[in-house]
Structure formats: C-alpha cells, structure tokens
C-alpha cells in the first residue's frame, strides 16, 4: 500500500517537474518575481543596509510565500486546461498519491526558489549566516508546510473562475503561523535576533506534519468532482 | 419569493416561529440585564498594593470582560459546531450538515470579529495599546478570523452546491486546527503574551461579579441559539430555492424538447413518426 502510494507519487512528481522543466514558467517568471520582491523591499526601506539585515528573515519569507502563490496556482492549473485532470482521476491513481506527488513537485520548486532568495539576501542585503545548518533545516521544513498547504488549497481553488483572487485569501492565513515560525528560525540562523531557532523549527516540523496529513486525507474530497 | 413551506417549516413568510420569538424575547431581556449588571451594578476592579498602598487593577475596563470572555466561548462553540458539521458533510454528504456548517461558520466569524473588537477596547486602557503584535493569542485569533473570512468568501462563489460543500468543509477543518493554538497559547508561549492565564483567580471574582460573568455565558449562548436558528432556516430556504430553480429549469427544458429530439441528440433513431416539436 505505502509502496504503491510512494511509487505513484513519484510518477506524478516527476511528471509535474518534467512539465516545469519544459515550460520553464517557474524559472522564467516565478524566480524573477521573487527577486523583484526582494529588490522592492530594498527600495521601500530606503536601501538602509542595517534595516534590511534586521528584517531580512521576514522579508525573505514574505517573498517566498508570494512566489509560492504563483507556483501553486501554476501547479493547480497544469491539468485543467486540456482535461488531464479527468484522465488522472480515471487512471486509478489514489488521491493521496496525487496530493503527495504534486506537493513534492511544488516542494522541489520552492527549495530551488529559496536557494536563489538566500543568494539574494547575501548579495543584496549583505546578511551573514551564523548557523548554516539551522538555515537549511528550517528552510527545508518550512518548505514542506508551504508545499502541503499550497497543494491542498490549490486543488481547492482550481476550477473556480475566481481562483486567482480566492487562493491568496484562503492560503495566506493558513501559512501565517508558518511565516512566523520560519522567520523566527531565520532570525536565529542569520543572527538578526536572539531567539531559539531550533525550537521554532520543531514547531515548523509539527505544522508541516499536520498540514501534510490533513492535505493527504482530505484531498480525495476535492478531486472527485 | 420562497416561503418557509419549501423547507417544510410551515406556511409562513418569515423564518420566525412562536418558539423562536419567545427565544428572541428571552435573548433581548438577557442582553439588557447583562448590560445593567456589567456596566452599572458590578464594582470596578480596584485593588490596593500591599506594600505601597497605591490603587491598581483594571478599574472600569474590567466590565468589558463580562462581554469579551463569553464571546470567546461562543466563538469556540460556533467553530466547533462548524468542524463537526464539516466532518458530517464529508461523511454523510447531506445538505443538512452543509447548511449547519455554513451557519455556524458565519455566526462564529461575527463573534470572532466582536472578540477582536471588544478585546481591543479592553486592551487600550489596560495594556495601553489598541493592538499588540507580540501577543500570541491575539495573533492566533486574528489568523482564525482571517481563515474563516476566506471560508465565507469561498461560500459566496456560485457553483454546484455539493462541490462547494466539500471544498468549504476542507477549509473549515484546516481552520479549526488554529483553535487549540488560540486557547493554549497563553500556556505554551507564556513569555510572549499579554493575556493573563486565568482572570478568575487574579481578579478574585466572586458573588455578583461571578454571577455576571456566568450570566454573560448564558446570554451569549442565547444569542448564538437565536442567530443559529434563523440563519439555519435562511440557509435551508436558499438551498430549497436553488433546488427548486434547478427542478423548474429541468421541467421547462423537458417541455421544450420532444422525445424524438432527445433520441436524436444521443445518436438513436426516433421511433415511429416524429411528434410535433414545441417551438
């Protein structure tokens, strides 16, 4: 059972990533957008390096969430234009596999996005990484939570005429606790504030686990339409 | 205009009934009594410092707690009902569960908004600020309110009611995960909140103040029951109106289409001579 779910999820993830590699929407549009957000924050804060360094963790995660919205919308609409979603439902793939596969593909894209944005923080904001391990672990764990919630709400909003406006309203409040936890963990990793980043990473792990379990267990109610 | 007959509620042009009117009157009286108790009869919270002899406490601001705390409880209750009904939607898939979930979410969001407003009014004199970003309970309550605002936005989208019910149920079940965080935040993040752990012990609530607080719970419960009753009936009528509209459209379409036309449309040969089509 678990083996089959994993195998099917792997197939779905590889398929989504293959489509992305060919279409390059994330690479050509989402990644430049995220860097643009970082640049705009720099303009808004009047290019004050000290302020930018202090708020870099929060600005980083706001940029990630805004970019994730685009990635999730893209993922959710991949199959709707040509009716592939119906074919997927008829193929016998379990909704759990579909969810895990799609979430995994979004996760890989988010991790790539984070790598680019961390580079942006180092170059544009001039931050110093004091705890690289915490930075990596917190980024990876928070990415799971964002990908799980994003995939669930992307499926929920797909097929609706107003999904572009509805998805942020639904998704961003759910991700607010993730934003808080991830920002605190990055505060510690980047030396921006004296907090226990590992404790926040533990909370992020719990959020990631809950969102993944809830997403996988309720996804069937959304894809059977 | 749909009447309550459509929902099996009797031949009336209103969602009210003799019993619900009685409940409404009782609710109004209870609200009035609570107002008098909370804002006139109870004493302000004034305590004397044992060492300096100075007065301290929440003074008149404590009166807001007789409204604020009961509102918190009915918010939890409304969202709890919404969560149970949402599970019912996913398991039973009947309109009754869906209308119940929608009703509870809508009322819960009104109460949650009032919790934020009354809390803010209370916080101004006590915390010296309308809003405190560092308070975890405040933040988690705001997140809860925003999540259910999204839920209601989803509800307002016109689509197939069964599909909408399932989507909304998933959103509600994710949103209610925030309630334990709201409730336990003062214990889990003790150093990151201005909310006190327990007001009951600190304020030495007893006699009239204790009675007023519990009367506030009863009043808030009555308001919840009255709002729930009427909103549920409105929701049920809305559903009946949609079903009635669909059924009427089907009948109208059938009357426009002959049997032969239907057979042709599905690729079958009409039987016998074609009967007259209704233009």
């Amino acid at each position: 059972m678990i083996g089959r779910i994993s195998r099917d999820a792997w197939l779905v993830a590889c398929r989504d990533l293959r489509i992305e590699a060919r279409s390059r929407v994330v690479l050509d549009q989402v990644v430049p957008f995220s860097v643009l957000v970082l640049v705009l924050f720099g303009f808004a804060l009047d290019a004050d390096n000290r302020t930018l360094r202090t708020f870099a963790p929060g600005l980083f995660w706001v940029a990630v969430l805004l970019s994730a919205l685009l990635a999730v919308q893209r993922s959710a609409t991949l199959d709707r234009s040509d009716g592939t979603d119906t074919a997927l439902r008829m193929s016998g793939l379990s909704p759990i596999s579909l969810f895990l596969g799609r979430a995994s593909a979004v996760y890989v894209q988010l991790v790539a996005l984070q790598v680019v944005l961390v580079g942006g923080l180092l170059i544009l904001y001039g931050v110093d990484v004091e705890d690289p391990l915490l930075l990596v672990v917190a980024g990876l764990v928070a990415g799971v939570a964002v990908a799980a919630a994003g995939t669930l709400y992307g499926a929920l909003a797909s097929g609706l005429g107003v999904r572009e406006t509805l998805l942020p309203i639904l998704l961003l409040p759910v991700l607010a606790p993730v934003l808080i936890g991830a920002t605190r963990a990055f505060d510690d990793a980047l030396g921006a504030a004296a907090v226990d980043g590992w404790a926040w990473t533990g909370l992020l792990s719990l959020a990631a686990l809950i969102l993944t379990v809830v997403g996988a267990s309720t996804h069937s109610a959304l894809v059977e339409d | 205009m749909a009447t309550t007959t459509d929902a099996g509620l009797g031949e009336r042009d209103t969602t009210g009934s003799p019993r619900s009117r009685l409940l409404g009157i009782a609710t109004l009286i209870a609200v009035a009594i609570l107002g008098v108790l909370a804002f006139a009869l109870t004493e302000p919270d004034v305590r004397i410092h044992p060492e300096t002899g100075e007065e301290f406490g929440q003074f008149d601001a404590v009166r807001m707690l007789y409204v604020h705390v009961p509102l918190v409880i009915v918010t939890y209750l409304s969202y709890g009902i919404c969560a149970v009904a949402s599970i019912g939607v996913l398991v039973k898939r009947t309109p009754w569960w869906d209308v119940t979930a929608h009703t509870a979410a809508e009322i819960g969001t009104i109460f949650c908004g009032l919790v934020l407003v009354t809390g803010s009014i209370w916080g101004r004199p006590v915390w010296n600020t309308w809003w405190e970003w560092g308070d975890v309970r405040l933040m988690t309550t705001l997140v809860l309110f925003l999540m259910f605002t999204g839920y209601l936005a989803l509800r307002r989208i016109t689509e197939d009611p069964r599909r909408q019910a399932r989507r909304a149920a998933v959103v509600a079940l994710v949103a209610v995960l925030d309630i334990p965080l709201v409730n336990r935040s003062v214990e889990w993040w003790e150093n990151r909140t201005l909310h006190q752990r327990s007001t009951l012990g600190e304020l030495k609530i007893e006699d009239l103040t204790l009675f007023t607080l519990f009367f506030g719970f009863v009043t808030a419960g009555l308001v919840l029951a009255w709002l729930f009753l009427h909103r549920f009936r409105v929701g049920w009528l809305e559903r009946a109106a949609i079903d009635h509209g669909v059924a009427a459209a089907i009948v109208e379409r059938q009357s426009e289409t002959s049997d032969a036309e239907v057979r042709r449309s599905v690729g079958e040969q009409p039987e016998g001579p074609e009967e007259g089509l209704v233009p």
Side-chain angles (χ1 to χ4, degrees), chain A residues 129-140 186 189 198 201:
Chain A
V129 180
E130 292 191 357
D131 190 343
L133 183 63
L134 175 60
L135 189 85
V136 171
V137 173
L140 291 175
F186 268 44
W198 286 106
T201 306

PDB file of all heavy atoms in Angstrom, chain A residues 129-140 186 189 198 201:
ATOM      1  N   VAL A 129      25.413  34.574   7.545  1.00  0.00           N
ATOM      2  CA  VAL A 129      24.777  33.353   8.038  1.00  0.00           C
ATOM      3  C   VAL A 129      25.576  32.854   9.234  1.00  0.00           C
ATOM      4  O   VAL A 129      26.731  32.464   9.102  1.00  0.00           O
ATOM      5  CB  VAL A 129      24.721  32.273   6.937  1.00  0.00           C
ATOM      6  CG1 VAL A 129      24.046  31.014   7.474  1.00  0.00           C
ATOM      7  CG2 VAL A 129      23.991  32.787   5.712  1.00  0.00           C
ATOM      8  N   GLU A 130      24.960  32.872  10.410  1.00  0.00           N
ATOM      9  CA  GLU A 130      25.667  32.443  11.627  1.00  0.00           C
ATOM     10  C   GLU A 130      25.487  30.958  11.895  1.00  0.00           C
ATOM     11  O   GLU A 130      26.333  30.332  12.521  1.00  0.00           O
ATOM     12  CB  GLU A 130      25.161  33.257  12.825  1.00  0.00           C
ATOM     13  CG  GLU A 130      25.570  34.716  12.739  1.00  0.00           C
ATOM     14  CD  GLU A 130      25.310  35.463  14.021  1.00  0.00           C
ATOM     15  OE1 GLU A 130      24.763  34.858  14.968  1.00  0.00           O
ATOM     16  OE2 GLU A 130      25.642  36.665  14.071  1.00  0.00           O
ATOM     17  N   ASP A 131      24.349  30.395  11.497  1.00  0.00           N
ATOM     18  CA  ASP A 131      24.096  28.966  11.717  1.00  0.00           C
ATOM     19  C   ASP A 131      23.561  28.360  10.420  1.00  0.00           C
ATOM     20  O   ASP A 131      22.341  28.264  10.220  1.00  0.00           O
ATOM     21  CB  ASP A 131      23.081  28.798  12.863  1.00  0.00           C
ATOM     22  CG  ASP A 131      22.964  27.353  13.310  1.00  0.00           C
ATOM     23  OD1 ASP A 131      23.398  26.460  12.549  1.00  0.00           O
ATOM     24  OD2 ASP A 131      22.438  27.111  14.410  1.00  0.00           O
ATOM     25  N   PRO A 132      24.471  27.949   9.526  1.00  0.00           N
ATOM     26  CA  PRO A 132      24.023  27.441   8.212  1.00  0.00           C
ATOM     27  C   PRO A 132      23.119  26.214   8.325  1.00  0.00           C
ATOM     28  O   PRO A 132      22.166  26.071   7.565  1.00  0.00           O
ATOM     29  CB  PRO A 132      25.335  27.073   7.509  1.00  0.00           C
ATOM     30  CG  PRO A 132      26.407  27.760   8.256  1.00  0.00           C
ATOM     31  CD  PRO A 132      25.936  27.919   9.657  1.00  0.00           C
ATOM     32  N   LEU A 133      23.416  25.337   9.299  1.00  0.00           N
ATOM     33  CA  LEU A 133      22.610  24.114   9.437  1.00  0.00           C
ATOM     34  C   LEU A 133      21.161  24.456   9.777  1.00  0.00           C
ATOM     35  O   LEU A 133      20.217  23.904   9.186  1.00  0.00           O
ATOM     36  CB  LEU A 133      23.210  23.217  10.538  1.00  0.00           C
ATOM     37  CG  LEU A 133      22.499  21.867  10.723  1.00  0.00           C
ATOM     38  CD1 LEU A 133      22.604  21.013   9.471  1.00  0.00           C
ATOM     39  CD2 LEU A 133      23.062  21.123  11.931  1.00  0.00           C
ATOM     40  N   LEU A 134      20.988  25.382  10.721  1.00  0.00           N
ATOM     41  CA  LEU A 134      19.633  25.806  11.100  1.00  0.00           C
ATOM     42  C   LEU A 134      18.919  26.438   9.914  1.00  0.00           C
ATOM     43  O   LEU A 134      17.732  26.183   9.672  1.00  0.00           O
ATOM     44  CB  LEU A 134      19.709  26.805  12.264  1.00  0.00           C
ATOM     45  CG  LEU A 134      18.389  27.433  12.708  1.00  0.00           C
ATOM     46  CD1 LEU A 134      17.406  26.368  13.173  1.00  0.00           C
ATOM     47  CD2 LEU A 134      18.627  28.453  13.823  1.00  0.00           C
ATOM     48  N   LEU A 135      19.661  27.247   9.149  1.00  0.00           N
ATOM     49  CA  LEU A 135      19.081  27.899   7.974  1.00  0.00           C
ATOM     50  C   LEU A 135      18.547  26.854   6.993  1.00  0.00           C
ATOM     51  O   LEU A 135      17.410  26.955   6.501  1.00  0.00           O
ATOM     52  CB  LEU A 135      20.144  28.769   7.291  1.00  0.00           C
ATOM     53  CG  LEU A 135      19.645  29.675   6.174  1.00  0.00           C
ATOM     54  CD1 LEU A 135      19.122  30.984   6.753  1.00  0.00           C
ATOM     55  CD2 LEU A 135      20.752  29.972   5.171  1.00  0.00           C
ATOM     56  N   VAL A 136      19.355  25.837   6.748  1.00  0.00           N
ATOM     57  CA  VAL A 136      18.968  24.806   5.778  1.00  0.00           C
ATOM     58  C   VAL A 136      17.790  23.982   6.302  1.00  0.00           C
ATOM     59  O   VAL A 136      16.790  23.779   5.597  1.00  0.00           O
ATOM     60  CB  VAL A 136      20.181  23.888   5.467  1.00  0.00           C
ATOM     61  CG1 VAL A 136      19.746  22.691   4.631  1.00  0.00           C
ATOM     62  CG2 VAL A 136      21.260  24.669   4.734  1.00  0.00           C
ATOM     63  N   VAL A 137      17.898  23.537   7.551  1.00  0.00           N
ATOM     64  CA  VAL A 137      16.844  22.676   8.108  1.00  0.00           C
ATOM     65  C   VAL A 137      15.518  23.439   8.193  1.00  0.00           C
ATOM     66  O   VAL A 137      14.462  22.930   7.786  1.00  0.00           O
ATOM     67  CB  VAL A 137      17.250  22.134   9.498  1.00  0.00           C
ATOM     68  CG1 VAL A 137      16.089  21.376  10.143  1.00  0.00           C
ATOM     69  CG2 VAL A 137      18.463  21.221   9.377  1.00  0.00           C
ATOM     70  N   ALA A 138      15.562  24.670   8.702  1.00  0.00           N
ATOM     71  CA  ALA A 138      14.331  25.459   8.820  1.00  0.00           C
ATOM     72  C   ALA A 138      13.727  25.716   7.445  1.00  0.00           C
ATOM     73  O   ALA A 138      12.497  25.620   7.267  1.00  0.00           O
ATOM     74  CB  ALA A 138      14.615  26.778   9.535  1.00  0.00           C
ATOM     75  N   GLY A 139      14.569  26.020   6.480  1.00  0.00           N
ATOM     76  CA  GLY A 139      14.078  26.266   5.114  1.00  0.00           C
ATOM     77  C   GLY A 139      13.421  25.032   4.528  1.00  0.00           C
ATOM     78  O   GLY A 139      12.344  25.105   3.933  1.00  0.00           O
ATOM     79  N   LEU A 140      14.061  23.873   4.725  1.00  0.00           N
ATOM     80  CA  LEU A 140      13.515  22.625   4.180  1.00  0.00           C
ATOM     81  C   LEU A 140      12.192  22.258   4.846  1.00  0.00           C
ATOM     82  O   LEU A 140      11.236  21.866   4.179  1.00  0.00           O
ATOM     83  CB  LEU A 140      14.532  21.483   4.351  1.00  0.00           C
ATOM     84  CG  LEU A 140      15.799  21.575   3.498  1.00  0.00           C
ATOM     85  CD1 LEU A 140      16.767  20.436   3.853  1.00  0.00           C
ATOM     86  CD2 LEU A 140      15.462  21.528   2.008  1.00  0.00           C
ATOM     87  N   PHE A 186      14.875  31.796  11.083  1.00  0.00           N
ATOM     88  CA  PHE A 186      15.866  32.508  10.270  1.00  0.00           C
ATOM     89  C   PHE A 186      16.488  33.669  11.054  1.00  0.00           C
ATOM     90  O   PHE A 186      17.638  34.024  10.816  1.00  0.00           O
ATOM     91  CB  PHE A 186      15.226  33.016   8.964  1.00  0.00           C
ATOM     92  CG  PHE A 186      15.359  32.050   7.820  1.00  0.00           C
ATOM     93  CD1 PHE A 186      15.120  30.695   8.002  1.00  0.00           C
ATOM     94  CD2 PHE A 186      15.736  32.482   6.555  1.00  0.00           C
ATOM     95  CE1 PHE A 186      15.255  29.792   6.950  1.00  0.00           C
ATOM     96  CE2 PHE A 186      15.877  31.586   5.501  1.00  0.00           C
ATOM     97  CZ  PHE A 186      15.632  30.242   5.693  1.00  0.00           C
ATOM     98  N   ALA A 189      19.209  31.951  12.746  1.00  0.00           N
ATOM     99  CA  ALA A 189      20.246  31.494  11.814  1.00  0.00           C
ATOM    100  C   ALA A 189      21.056  32.650  11.238  1.00  0.00           C
ATOM    101  O   ALA A 189      22.260  32.527  10.998  1.00  0.00           O
ATOM    102  CB  ALA A 189      19.603  30.696  10.685  1.00  0.00           C
ATOM    103  N   TRP A 198      15.945  26.601  16.852  1.00  0.00           N
ATOM    104  CA  TRP A 198      15.664  25.159  16.751  1.00  0.00           C
ATOM    105  C   TRP A 198      14.291  24.822  17.341  1.00  0.00           C
ATOM    106  O   TRP A 198      13.608  23.927  16.849  1.00  0.00           O
ATOM    107  CB  TRP A 198      16.759  24.346  17.441  1.00  0.00           C
ATOM    108  CG  TRP A 198      18.027  24.335  16.636  1.00  0.00           C
ATOM    109  CD1 TRP A 198      19.166  25.015  16.906  1.00  0.00           C
ATOM    110  CD2 TRP A 198      18.251  23.647  15.399  1.00  0.00           C
ATOM    111  NE1 TRP A 198      20.106  24.800  15.930  1.00  0.00           N
ATOM    112  CE2 TRP A 198      19.572  23.953  14.991  1.00  0.00           C
ATOM    113  CE3 TRP A 198      17.492  22.814  14.598  1.00  0.00           C
ATOM    114  CZ2 TRP A 198      20.136  23.445  13.821  1.00  0.00           C
ATOM    115  CZ3 TRP A 198      18.037  22.307  13.425  1.00  0.00           C
ATOM    116  CH2 TRP A 198      19.343  22.619  13.043  1.00  0.00           C
ATOM    117  N   THR A 201      11.935  25.663  14.752  1.00  0.00           N
ATOM    118  CA  THR A 201      11.998  24.654  13.692  1.00  0.00           C
ATOM    119  C   THR A 201      11.199  23.409  14.095  1.00  0.00           C
ATOM    120  O   THR A 201      10.566  22.759  13.248  1.00  0.00           O
ATOM    121  CB  THR A 201      13.462  24.283  13.395  1.00  0.00           C
ATOM    122  OG1 THR A 201      14.188  25.491  13.123  1.00  0.00           O
ATOM    123  CG2 THR A 201      13.584  23.366  12.201  1.00  0.00           C
TER     124      THR A 201
END
